[in-house]
Amino acid sequence: MDVLRPALININGRIYRRNVTKDSKEEHYEEEEEDVSYMGPPESEYLEEDEACDTKLIEQTDKGYRCAIEVPSVLYKYIIGKKGETKRRLESDTKTSISIPKQGVEGEIVITGSHKAAVSSAVTRVELLVESYRKKQPFTHFLSFPLSNPKIQEGFLTFKDEVLKQCSQDHGVEGSIFQNPAKLHMTIGTLALLNETEVRKACEHLQQCQHFIRDITEGNPLTLEVTGIEYMNDDPGMVDVLYAKVNAKDKSDKLQLIADRLVEHFVSAGLMVREWDRVKLHGTVINTLFRKDSVEDAGGPGRQTMSEREAFDARNILKKFGAYRFGEFGLNTVLLSQRYSSDCTGYYTSAGSANFS
């Protein structure tokens, strides 16, 4: 990182500077400790704003002031630090006391102090730590359009059989890199939901989206055509992902509009990070991360890490199956799907849904 141009974090409309310092005492976490400094207006300009903000969060008690913050338990360790060093430093710097539930127990972090400004300062620093480390958590859920319709599954299995018959001699082409037909889907966006409260919040927001989804679909399922395949990199001879192209049968942009509106809603709610200007809708049919002859790692049982991936030669597949028709079906739902899970149908376990009709 350029020390003269530190990364900035926007929290509740304020801009903070993130200073990264390597602390050998924190190596237990194999992370870089992050010191975040507020880069706001002069003190005279934001004291009044602090008062308005603090009124909502900080309550006066017989002994001073108190504020409770909801933080997922998986993030407690970043506030505690190795042997409690981060927590002690926060308490010393802000002249407050910070009470954290036991690891694994969901609850509130409670900050108390004699002065409201001190509690406010501690709250800000804790929130910045939480925000910083939250961004480093792997995603747990994703919004999906399921493609696991029986007609599409049948078309996919025929595609797989024919590819293996005609192209198995090509480098890297073998059965384990094909998607599980029960898990065929389009990913709209990913979410890191760190406890049940956050999962419930995401479900509630998905339900809120149902009204604009039905406005777009006019209360009807969308008939989709799954036809043609494409690859995701520049060299068709060295491919990691091959996907099926999915379009509305009536040639409308309704599906794209729903996907983009969903991402806009969840980004605004703070539940998703925007990765692209528009969602790239596609249904993965082959992915080298599925290859089974790899060691187990944090990416999931029997899956490869990004650096270990063995690409495959897709030139013959693209030549012979570039216009392959998987089928058509009526899409009637968007799901909040749980990563690394399966329900009784074989599709990802659903935490919530919104229907088109």
Side-chain angles (χ1 to χ4, degrees):
M1 184 188 74
D2 185 346
V3 296
L4 298 178
R5 298 177 182 271
L8 304 179
I9 301 176
N10 186 323
I11 296 183
N12 296 328
R14 292 187 177 185
I15 304 301
Y16 294 84
R17 180 181 63 237
R18 183 171 66 195
N19 302 319
V20 181
T21 58
K22 186 66 178 178
D23 184 346
S24 60
K25 296 180 180 180
E26 296 284 17
E27 288 179 355
H28 172 75
Y29 295 115
E30 299 180 349
E31 301 267 10
E32 287 183 320
E33 183 185 347
E34 295 181 318
D35 173 30
V36 191
S37 306
Y38 179 44
M39 295 182 65
E43 183 176 351
S44 61
E45 293 185 34
Y46 66 75
L47 277 177
E48 184 176 347
E49 182 182 345
D50 270 346
E51 290 297 321
C53 178
D54 292 349
T55 301
K56 301 176 184 177
L57 298 172
I58 300 172
E59 59 183 4
Q60 188 168 9
T61 67
D62 294 340
K63 298 181 180 179
Y65 294 88
R66 176 186 184 277
C67 183
I69 311 171
E70 291 188 4
V71 176
S73 63
V74 296
L75 300 179
Y76 292 167
K77 64 181 179 181
Y78 301 115
I79 301 167
I80 296 170
K82 187 178 181 181
K83 297 181 180 179
E85 291 175 0
T86 302
K87 176 175 175 287
R88 284 197 296 273
R89 185 170 65 251
L90 286 170
E91 291 176 321
S92 175
D93 289 350
T94 62
K95 304 298 189 291
T96 59
S97 176
I98 302 174
S99 176
I100 302 174
K102 293 181 180 179
Q103 192 64 43
V105 177
E106 296 296 339
E108 295 179 324
I109 290 178
V110 178
I111 300 173
T112 56
S114 301
H115 302 284
K116 188 175 183 180
V119 173
S120 178
S121 175
V123 168
T124 297
R125 292 183 62 170
V126 169
E127 287 180 337
L128 290 169
L129 278 172
V130 169
E131 180 73 12
S132 175
Y133 284 106
R134 173 184 285 281
K135 292 179 179 178
K136 299 180 181 181
Q137 303 305 305
F139 78 87
T140 60
H141 294 73
F142 58 100
L143 293 179
S144 73
F145 293 134
L147 299 178
S148 52
N149 177 275
K151 293 179 181 178
I152 305 303
Q153 288 181 331
E154 182 180 354
F156 169 79
L157 289 172
T158 300
F159 167 78
K160 177 181 177 180
D161 290 343
E162 290 301 316
V163 168
L164 292 176
K165 284 179 184 178
Q166 300 181 43
C167 305
S168 59
Q169 75 282 1
D170 296 333
H171 175 77
V173 177
E174 49 94 10
S176 72
I177 64 176
F178 286 79
Q179 175 66 283
N180 178 345
K183 283 185 158 59
L184 289 167
H185 70 279
M186 291 180 284
T187 297
I188 301 165
T190 61
L191 307 90
L193 306 176
L194 304 183
N195 56 27
E196 287 302 315
T197 299
E198 294 187 353
V199 173
R200 286 194 298 271
K201 180 181 178 182
C203 290
E204 291 168 0
H205 277 278
L206 184 54
Q207 278 295 304
Q208 292 172 19
C209 294
Q210 190 160 266
H211 73 279
F212 73 69
I213 291 174
R214 291 183 175 177
D215 286 344
I216 294 170
T217 65
E218 298 177 344
N220 297 306
L222 281 182
T223 301
L224 303 182
E225 291 182 327
V226 186
T227 301
I229 56 173
E230 192 55 86
Y231 60 104
M232 280 198 170
N233 60 308
D234 295 329
D235 183 359
M238 293 289 288
V239 172
D240 282 315
V241 176
L242 204 64
Y243 63 89
K245 294 185 280 189
V246 184
N247 294 287
K249 187 175 182 179
D250 64 4
K251 309 303 181 184
S252 72
D253 63 350
K254 291 179 180 178
L255 189 65
Q256 184 70 54
L257 184 56
I258 291 170
D260 291 339
R261 288 282 301 275
L262 283 166
V263 169
E264 180 182 346
H265 180 96
F266 276 81
V267 168
S268 297
L271 292 168
M272 186 181 290
V273 176
R274 186 184 297 279
E275 298 182 55
W276 315 103
D277 291 337
R278 299 176 78 236
V279 178
K280 183 175 178 59
L281 290 172
H282 64 280
T284 298
V285 293
I286 298 178
N287 190 330
T288 57
L289 281 178
F290 300 156
R291 202 181 293 280
K292 288 293 193 290
D293 58 352
S294 59
V295 297
E296 292 192 8
D297 74 328
R303 302 301 170 96
Q304 293 178 303
T305 62
M306 296 296 287
S307 60
E308 293 174 336
R309 297 173 77 162
E310 178 190 353
F312 67 96
D313 186 344
R315 287 173 292 185
N316 275 333
I317 300 176
L318 291 163
K319 181 179 179 180
K320 297 177 179 181
F321 302 96
Y324 182 85
R325 188 175 190 276
F326 293 87
E328 67 177 58
F329 75 107
L331 179 68
N332 194 40
T333 189
V334 54
L335 301 174
L336 177 62
S337 302
Q338 183 180 330
R339 194 181 189 187
Y340 302 136
S341 68
S342 298
D343 63 16
C344 60
T345 70
Y347 193 72
Y348 300 94
T349 301
S350 174
S353 65
N355 295 324
F356 293 11
S357 61

